[in-house]
Amino acid sequence: MSLYCGIAYRRKISQGYRLLSTYVTKARYLFELKEDDGACKKAQQAGAFYLFHSLAPLLQTAEHRYLVPRFSLLEVESLLHKFGQDAQRIEDSVLIGCSEQHEAWFALDLGLNSSFSTHASLPKSEVETELQGSFIELRKAIFQLNSMDSSLLFTAQALLRWHDGHQFCSKSGQPTRKNIAGSKRVCPSNNIIYYPQMAPVVITLVSDGTRCLLARQSSFPKGMYSALAGFCDIGENMEEAVRREVAEEVGLEVENMQFSASQHWPFPNSSLMIACHATVKPGQTETLLS
Ligand SMILES: NC(=O)C1=CN([C@@H]2O[C@H](COP(=O)(O)OP(=O)(O)OC[C@H]3O[C@@H](n4cnc5c(N)ncnc54)[C@H](O)[C@@H]3O)[C@@H](O)[C@H]2O)C=CC1
Ligand SMILES: [Mg+2]
């Protein structure tokens, strides 16, 4: 019932009762591309492609920053042709966003083995020379990218990695097939749909009101400290995960948890980092000092 009302309301709006915002039309356009393979294929014709090699994005250096080159479908086809591959490889690309003018953006990895061939990795250094750029590990490049580029590349890397690691149905063992946008994979033998997944992680700044607690893992570089982070266990809500992680990692009990901000974090796998503030329970501040 509520879904039906929602659809009717949308129609009423799109028939011209109210002008839709740019953000709304963009969100609906992206939704259409995810649901409709034909529309997504059409969008590739006028779209822009970001290229990766084994999950490292192609970047170009400009002074102290990195620029992220984009290529048209024709340019990508001609590159593939030059390296002896056909345009079918473009079906491995994933939709990562669009401009306000609805130019669709895709990401394609030239280094991962394509679903269409077992020997399909393109030679990295030759492609770099051809495209006048370098495939640089994303983690090393983030501080030299602007925030829009880094967010797009985070999404792209996470999606490309997910597809690379989910090529088979975990129930039937059969190869799964991605839709054109790359927003899902389907097992043709039993129609199970697999969607890209993110693991929720809470990262909590614990304080006693005036001081805050930072910690370090043994794997951190020397001198690096961070707020306390941990994966949510299945069945937990955010508050329970914060309380448990803080207890596990530093032996404190916290209360007054507050959500602060969130961010997608693609390393080493896709996480949704949920940042929170929490205060230690009264009587535990001495522990905080030790
Ligand atoms: N931005 C930042 O400042 C920081 C970010 N992080 C990120 O937060 C995430 C979680 O932090 P950790 O302290 O490592 O988590 P954690 O404290 O939950 O410990 C990691 C352990 O949790 C288990 N685990 C449970 N679910 C898991 C899953 N979905 N994926 C992987 N391991 C899982 C594994 O046994 C793993 O060894 C990491 O991805 C890390 O990159 C961590 C610290 C600082
Ligand atoms: Mg942790």
Side-chain angles (χ1 to χ4, degrees):
M1 177 66 183
S2 60
L3 179 65
Y4 175 79
C5 291
I7 291 166
Y9 182 60
R10 272 195 202 179
R11 285 218 185 98
K12 209 172 168 188
I13 292 171
S14 50
Q15 279 159 9
Y17 288 89
R18 204 178 79 198
L19 206 58
L20 296 176
S21 77
T22 311
Y23 176 77
V24 173
T25 56
K26 191 172 135 179
R28 289 186 181 178
Y29 178 61
L30 286 172
F31 179 69
E32 183 195 341
L33 299 190
K34 287 179 196 165
E35 294 298 303
D36 181 342
D37 279 355
C40 194
K41 254 199 137 114
K42 199 167 150 214
Q44 287 182 343
Q45 305 290 322
F49 289 76
Y50 292 80
L51 298 179
F52 284 69
H53 195 285
S54 305
L55 300 177
L58 181 80
L59 303 175
Q60 289 170 338
T61 316
E63 306 205 330
H64 300 297
R65 303 210 57 80
Y66 283 125
L67 300 178
V68 194
R70 294 146 27 115
F71 300 87
S72 68
L73 181 66
L74 275 177
E75 287 170 326
V76 177
E77 283 174 348
S78 129
L79 178 79
L80 290 171
H81 183 70
K82 203 165 250 173
F83 286 91
Q85 294 205 355
D86 64 35
Q88 200 181 17
R89 186 176 188 129
I90 292 168
E91 291 194 19
D92 287 338
S93 64
V94 292
L95 175 72
I96 54 170
C98 76
S99 70
E100 294 196 343
Q101 293 72 37
H102 295 186
E103 176 197 51
W105 299 329
F106 298 88
L108 176 64
D109 198 301
L110 304 169
L112 297 175
N113 278 335
S114 161
S115 336
F116 299 106
S117 160
T118 45
H119 304 289
S121 177
L122 265 60
K124 185 171 166 238
S125 57
E126 289 170 42
V127 176
E128 287 176 329
T129 307
E130 180 69 27
L131 301 178
Q132 295 172 9
S134 305
F135 293 105
I136 294 173
E137 213 185 304
L138 185 53
R139 198 163 194 156
K140 290 187 180 149
I142 43 178
F143 297 112
Q144 276 88 44
L145 289 164
N146 71 39
S147 61
M148 195 192 120
D149 284 340
S150 61
S151 162
L152 264 182
L153 295 181
F154 276 17
T155 305
Q157 193 199 56
L159 256 181
L160 291 168
R161 183 191 287 112
W162 183 80
H163 281 284
D164 186 48
H166 291 80
Q167 300 197 7
F168 294 89
C169 174
S170 55
K171 191 157 175 84
S172 71
Q174 297 295 311
T176 51
R177 200 175 294 148
K178 88 179 244 308
N179 65 341
I180 299 292
S183 57
K184 59 187 168 189
R185 298 189 75 91
V186 181
C187 175
S189 72
N190 54 26
N191 290 325
I192 293 178
I193 305 174
Y194 294 90
Y195 294 100
Q197 288 169 341
M198 296 193 284
V201 171
V202 287
I203 179 159
T204 311
L205 190 65
V206 176
S207 86
D208 65 357
T210 53
R211 296 161 298 174
C212 63
L213 175 66
L214 298 177
R216 51 177 279 109
Q217 292 179 11
S218 53
S219 60
F220 283 4
K222 197 166 177 274
M224 176 179 157
Y225 289 81
S226 130
L228 307 174
F231 291 95
C232 295
D233 276 353
I234 199 129
E236 270 180 342
N237 63 28
M238 190 184 85
E239 294 82 353
E240 287 164 340
V242 168
R243 197 159 175 236
R244 178 187 51 75
E245 274 296 331
V246 175
E248 271 180 22
E249 296 197 347
V250 293
L252 293 173
E253 259 200 76
V254 290
E255 57 185 11
N256 302 325
M257 286 157 246
Q258 280 184 336
F259 167 74
S260 174
S262 64
Q263 180 191 18
H264 172 243
W265 189 247
F267 316 112
N269 286 302
S270 242
S271 305
L272 175 63
M273 301 292 297
I274 305 164
C276 303
H277 288 274
T279 45
V280 285
K281 275 196 167 172
Q284 300 216 355
T285 50
E286 289 310 308
T287 318
L288 194 62
L289 277 172
S290 65

